[in-house]
Amino acid sequence: MDAGFIKEFFKRNGVGMGWFLIIAVGFWVVVLIILPQISMFDFSFRNDLPPPEIGGPKDVYTLKNYQYLIFGADGNPDGYNKTDLAVFGKTLLAAAFVTILDLVLCYPIAYYLGQSTGGGMARLFVLLLIIPYWINEILRAFAFRIIFGDSGVINEMLMVIGIIDNPIDFVRENIALYAGLGYAYILLMIFPMYNVIESLDRNQIEAARDMGASWIKIHRRIVIPYAKPGISSGCTMVFMLSAGALAAPQILGGPSSLWFTQIIYQWFNQSVNWPQGSAFAAVLLVTCIIIVLGVMRLFNVNMGDIGK
Amino acid sequence: MKTDSLLIRIGLGFYLVLFFTYLLGPLVLMSITAFNSPSFPQATPWEVLTFEWFNVLYNDARIVNGIKNSFIIGFFTVILSVIMGLAGALVLTQIWPKIRATFYTIIIAPILIPGVVLGISTLVFWDRVNVMLGLPNDSFLHNGILLTVLGQSTFIASYCMLVFVARLQRYDLGLTEAALDLGATHTQAFRKIQLPFLAPAIGSASVLAFLASFENYNTTTFTFGKYPTLTIELAQKVRYGINPSISALAFIIVCLTVLFALVHEVRNRRVQLAIANGAPVGAVTSGFKLPKIFAGNPVAVVLALFVAVAVAVISYAQFYDPEPAKAIILQEKRAAQQLRIEELQRKLKDKRLQKNLKGPDIFNEGKSKIPKLEEKKQKTPFGSGIFSPNNLNKVAPGAETPAPAPKPASPFGSVFDPTNLNKVAPKE
Amino acid sequence: MSEGVGVDLENVWIRFGDFVAVREANVQINGGEFFSFLGPSGCGKTTILRAVSGFLEPSDGNVLIGGNNMAGFGPNERPTALIFQNLALFPLMKVWENIAFSMEVRGASAGERRKRADELLDMIALSGQGDKLPSELSGGQKQRVAIARALCAEPDVLLLDEPLSALDLKLRQHMRSELREIQKRVGITFIYITHDQGEALTMSDSVAVMKAGIIDQIADGKSIYDDPATAFVASFVGENNVFRGKVKSVSKDSAIIETNRTGNLRARISSDNQGKLKVGDDAMMFIRPEALDISTNDTSSDTRIKARVTHSEFEGQSYHVFLEGTEGKEMKMSLINRGEDRMYERGKELYLDFDANQAVALPAGELASE
């Protein structure tokens, strides 16, 4: 069967095209996706050695990089590496918060756009949605830094109105970060939902309304169940990207709050301990995968729905 | 029932306004700061219309170099990702069904893998390869451009793949069969039939890939080596101090994006209209029939307005000189500042007096609060930011004297960039 | 006629996993013949066509074109051209580029191609339309372009996969004669796939009737209609009244069938089954509606059926009378309109006569579902 498939493959594509496809896909899948990930995991189990000692007697596998994440450096009086673990937990929680924030923000818009008849206004809205997404991630974060700065528009406005006397430090309170992260991934939340809701037959809603269902009931019983693949696809993407975000926390994060990716970044760029950084990255990757698979199992959605 | 739906409509309208304010407000405000004269990007208070930040931007060698690197990396990333994404999509449509789901999971995974992980794994992997091949430490495998292209293509190819899969779903395999049947080789059938069909998708995948490459930070930050891209440079600037030249860049990018999006949309719309009217597409795309396009097409109207405004602004900038107005503002500000300082001092005195009059508990509390208050206020120039070095520059007419603060670790902490200081200082 | 290139299927089996799409097909198609595969959808006729054109290889057996075994030759290496069911005109190419595509891939110059395309456009009566896009043509015009494109490849065998199914009735009938006309003019072998018996019978020199992967009968249209080889063919091609029963007695070319409800009836044994029907076998007897006529005689006979009218229909050229025999056996009779009023009232009792030569006795078998 396998050989038959390969024969059929070359028959369908011809020899030249067939090889081209196999080489291009093979390069992508093996050399760019699989091998680097394996290599990173492999690296995370190694000692941090200077280049001449790599491959030498000291180059043995070790669990110490993972032990460090859990227990901290040797002789740590706390017993656990509270700082890093706390950052890790906080990152995941914050990412979940951003995901929920985006979901709540975007659902009405996705519903409105999906159920509108696609006239000029709706097209304009879609365009307006896309435009911010094309602007550089750094610049988007920068915009939020301007807005939420002490002399930013929001503080100025609140002070003019007289609600506050002194500027609120939005950055320290992480409000700027949440707003910025939520902003960055709005499109990734809206579009999967929009695509699904668009295909929902308007008559179903009409019928439900006809039978006297309230708006809440219509959404709970008809629209949301139908949009489930889109919702979970959007949530998955937003969660993964928020948890893996680096630029926004670097720019908008308060001095007291670190993002887990920032710690990884420090291991690579400041402490220059690659194996340690790889271990942290591996933990981030595996955790995210587990969470996403869990959510997909929970909502009974499969991989094919992602990226629609 | 009627009032109910009316309420919902009003609520929805209100929500839409709010939502799009959140979406577009930041971009608009950021753009405004590019034209305001204070050296800290701020939209309020409005001081003087100025175009100097565009000059600062233009003269910033790091930014210019970053743009160059971004284009080089973007170019190669587009080529690699489009090829791999196309091959992936083609294989996906014909792969043995039993492994299709697995294959799809593997090629979609890079979208979900955190960007930092992709950057790290790329860096680590090619370093390993380098060691295994016994190459020197500065071999081509450590070249920032190569690594960045490879790292970015890993996930950008997935985006391209999705674009191609969507297009391929509408492709009739019978067309390829027909071509084969008429004697074409497989390569000819692909090149003459399937590729032209995919051409629009290749176009959009390329644009998508370029944008994704251009704005990527998470992956690139690990792989760029000696070739920082524009995004990396921007991040450095934003992290270590900001000035409105970044706003100016943002403004340019926003304008280009809006322009591009509008043109694209209007063109789409025209083609669609043509198809709807049953007219041959060629007839509509060649001749430029303006009035017809505007009918029922708000996007086209917006585009026209946008272009008009842009032309007006650019021509205005040619002969506009903000300096006289700026000098006046500076005078006013100095006077206002003086008043404020006096007032503030009086207030502080009053407060201390008040606190002193109250009970010992409150006294303690108050004491701890006062320094905090001062510290915070420093940050608002319009409030009492008299102690901020930025404001000193602005306030003092003869600000040619370099800022007293030492240079930050990062030389591109732009606030202290000498060029910026020149811009800040009024010209003779 | 026989100067064209013939196609032979030798013991061809085509399987997809466990599913057998074509079972032991043996077909000889003479050069220059208009040959049709007729069968309901899903019977495997398109699969056979794909095996001839080279899109799939038979699991067993051989496909020969002009006597050469085609195993291992791809569709682009066979002297065949296929007209697809949806025509598969290249949407991004102009009409003339579509037509001359086969020359383009052979490397002919643009001038040559244009010249040949214009000739073919003249032939299909679409002169001057070469610069349009396929989407700007009507259904019938697209049809003709697809034919011209296939002919431009100068195939020895033209394969047509239900090319008329997307057209409306009028156009379909017009295209039938046009196709036949073109085939006569170019003189190459046509293999035509259809589920429409009208198309098959009017155009073809020979018809193969297929059912679930099996070819039941290969013959010219008249034989298929008048002398079906199986119960399936008898019921699929044209209308037929079926009488089930057992063989009561057999002679060389006729038999008496003891039907379940209508008594003993005499019928000719179809030529493929002569000598195969035995006394006591389960059998079926078929009488075409137009083979029935009203009898003036009311004595019982083995070529006479007594029935009661349920209703009558007038269809212009003929009357259709629906009747009910003993125990509710339904029958249909068609009478040519010769000016008499044949609208019989419900409940009228009639005796129907038929010529035993026009009734066919066959071994019992699966019928075509309505």
Side-chain angles (χ1 to χ4, degrees), chain C residues 294 312-314 318-319 321 335-345 348 350:
Chain C
I294 292 166
S312 312
E313 284 172 359
F314 173 64
S318 51
Y319 291 90
V321 184
L335 301 166
I336 301 281
N337 178 6
R338 291 201 177 88
E340 312 147 67
D341 183 5
R342 292 295 186 82
M343 293 296 282
Y344 294 107
E345 276 166 32
K348 183 173 175 63
L350 295 172

Side-chain angles (χ1 to χ4, degrees), chain C residues 11-58:
Chain C
N11 203 17
V12 168
W13 289 72
I14 299 171
R15 298 184 195 89
F16 299 111
D18 293 334
F19 175 73
V20 181
V22 175
R23 186 184 296 268
E24 212 184 348
N26 281 294
V27 184
Q28 280 164 14
I29 300 167
N30 297 325
E33 200 175 27
F34 196 122
F35 190 96
S36 293
F37 284 94
L38 171 66
S41 56
C43 72
K45 51 194 194 303
T46 298
T47 309
I48 286 189
L49 202 69
R50 292 177 68 79
V52 174
S53 56
F55 289 114
L56 55 87
E57 293 279 346

